[in-house]
Amino acid sequence: MTKRQGRMMWIGALLAGIALAAALGFTALRKNMMYFYTPSDLVAQTAPKHARLRLGGLVERGSVKRGDGLLINFTLADCAQKVQVRYEGILPDLFREGQGIVATGMVADDGSFRADEVLAKHDENYMPPELASSLKTVDGKHSCAPFKSVNGNVASAGVVE
Amino acid sequence: MWTWFHRLASPPTFYRLADRFSPWLAVIAALLIGYGLVGGLVLAPADYQQGDAFRIIYVHVPAAWLSLSGYVAMAAAAVVAIIWRIKLAECVVVAIAPVGASFTAMALVTGMLWGKPMWGAYWVWDARLTAELVLLFLYLGVIGLNQAFEDPRAGARACGLLALVGVVNVPIVHYSVEWWNSLHQGPTISRIGKPSIVPAMLWPLLAMTFGCMAFFAWAVLQRVQNELLIRERRSAWVRNWRLEREAAGNV
């Protein structure tokens, strides 16, 4: 084996080792890489209780009810489950029914979610308004697929109203 | 084939070749970026949800793509530098780092500026954003490591090693939005399936991407040329190069 071949082997082994370590590490730590829990996780009670956590999903159509001042109630859904959310504060411009959002807060005793921060999660579709209004399927029908359950609870890919 | 490869890798040949190609790259970059900016900022329609704010993608997306492909190019040069000990490849590793770091910083800054009005936050620690920040630190690490060495060849080897180890981060940045939950949206343009963007918005984006690629290549070539001159300053070809320029009254 020449010196050059030796270096090739050495680099190959180094890259394979790093790839393997990364793959194992990230598989083991998958839960920690998740930015938010989904309604499925909350309903299955696999999300931590009495701890601040983030909850991501689509704002269900027709579920938004505004109360006094900045108070707002709505239902957050992924592909399988839904959770009631209560929030008091300023909403991002992109907040609307059918939109994906990520709320930070705690699960209340009655199983609903008390949020103290709401961020909008935009999806990957870009189009002019004329096209969006002609395509009835798009506005308010965002895909629930990006909301992946942290603990692998049931969540089939699809579209919720 | 191999003789051609070796000739190309010889510093004087490459220097002259870079001199010949650089202006073309600059022209291509200027034309494509010019069209992309007008097409993206003026001609393309506003988005149905984000309005005019979506136009940040014409800078953000090319910057983010190049931050990744630039890193892959740097790692590829590092492999050549470590295995074949080719001086030119060492220069390429060192030359890509600052350009790549600038593009990474641009992707991060434009993303933050967009994130505040759209998401409601400048920064969140989701997988995509964190991995891109790590990418910036890797680039900065290569720059710093290179400057820490007195012997440029030893420095380039250390940089190459760091670039290689860091390459594992590239697929993590790319697939973070698919493997894990993130606030960052998924890919609009992927190899499989139709892009989820209308053609009037897509064309300027592609023009910006290829324009930025040409600019990236141009900037790297300039740096490689400088690096070659500095590293080879005692060699005959650099002395001749200087004499030629002095004779032409160019110094």
Side-chain angles (χ1 to χ4, degrees), chain A residues 4-5 7-8 10-11 14-15 18-19 22 26 29-30 33-38 41 54 92-94 96 99 101-102 117-132 138-140 142 146-150, chain B residues 6 45-50 54 57 61 78-79 81-85 114 116-121 123-127 161 164-168 172 176-189 196-198 201:
Chain A
R4 181 175 300 163
Q5 279 168 329
R7 288 198 292 258
M8 271 184 209
W10 191 76
I11 284 185
L14 176 76
L15 283 180
I18 295 168
F26 283 115
L29 297 173
R30 183 171 179 274
M33 299 300 293
M34 292 298 203
Y35 187 64
F36 51 77
Y37 289 91
T38 59
D41 295 313
R54 282 184 288 259
D93 286 353
L94 278 185
R96 63 198 73 184
Q99 176 74 45
I101 63 142
V102 176
E117 188 191 29
V118 169
L119 300 179
K121 175 171 163 58
H122 181 253
D123 71 6
E124 67 279 14
N125 296 305
Y126 296 89
M127 68 191 82
E130 308 86 66
L131 183 63
V138 177
D139 202 15
H142 295 276
F147 301 96
K148 299 176 271 282
S149 166
V150 172
Chain B
H6 276 118
D47 181 59
Y48 76 116
Q49 279 203 325
Q50 304 179 38
F54 100 94
I57 66 166
V61 174
V79 170
I82 292 175
I83 295 179
W84 285 278
R85 301 277 153 96
W114 177 89
K116 185 65 186 171
M118 291 299 126
W119 292 346
W123 184 265
V124 295
W125 293 101
D126 83 344
L161 215 54
L164 263 184
V165 172
V167 84
V168 70
I172 294 177
S176 52
V177 290
E178 289 170 26
W179 290 342
W180 305 302
N181 277 333
S182 61
L183 190 60
H184 195 285
Q185 66 253 39
T188 294
I189 296 153
S196 0
I197 179 168
V198 295
M201 294 171 168

Side-chain angles (χ1 to χ4, degrees), chain B residues 49-106:
Chain B
Q49 279 203 325
Q50 304 179 38
D52 282 325
F54 100 94
R55 295 181 200 280
I56 199 103
I57 66 166
Y58 293 108
V59 182
H60 178 72
V61 174
W65 280 346
L66 273 160
S67 71
L68 291 179
S69 45
Y71 197 93
V72 173
M74 183 169 77
V79 170
V80 177
I82 292 175
I83 295 179
W84 285 278
R85 301 277 153 96
I86 291 175
K87 259 189 233 164
L88 175 64
E90 294 174 3
C91 293
V92 172
V93 173
V94 182
I96 288 180
V99 186
S102 319
F103 273 79
T104 313
M106 192 154 74

Side-chain angles (χ1 to χ4, degrees), chain B residues 117-176:
Chain B
M118 291 299 126
W119 292 346
Y122 284 113
W123 184 265
V124 295
W125 293 101
D126 83 344
R128 170 59 72 82
L129 275 66
T130 310
E132 183 77 9
L133 186 65
V134 169
L135 188 73
L136 176 66
F137 292 153
L138 282 168
Y139 274 124
L140 294 180
V142 171
I143 297 171
L145 195 57
N146 180 49
Q147 284 172 357
F149 277 84
E150 204 119 304
D151 171 21
R153 298 215 63 177
R157 253 196 315 275
C159 289
L161 215 54
L162 176 59
L164 263 184
V165 172
V167 84
V168 70
N169 189 38
V170 172
I172 294 177
V173 175
H174 186 82
Y175 289 107
S176 52

Side-chain angles (χ1 to χ4, degrees), chain B residues 15 229 238-251:
Chain B
Y15 190 93
L229 286 182
V238 175
R239 213 172 308 127
N240 289 339
W241 170 86
R242 236 191 96 189
L243 290 175
E244 270 172 43
R245 283 174 62 105
E246 273 171 357
N250 259 344
V251 168

Side-chain angles (χ1 to χ4, degrees), chain B residues 1-11 13-14 80-81 84 86 88-89:
Chain B
M1 162 75 193
W2 283 108
T3 48
W4 175 82
F5 188 70
H6 276 118
R7 192 135 40 90
L8 179 70
S10 101
T13 318
F14 184 87
V80 177
W84 285 278
I86 291 175
L88 175 64

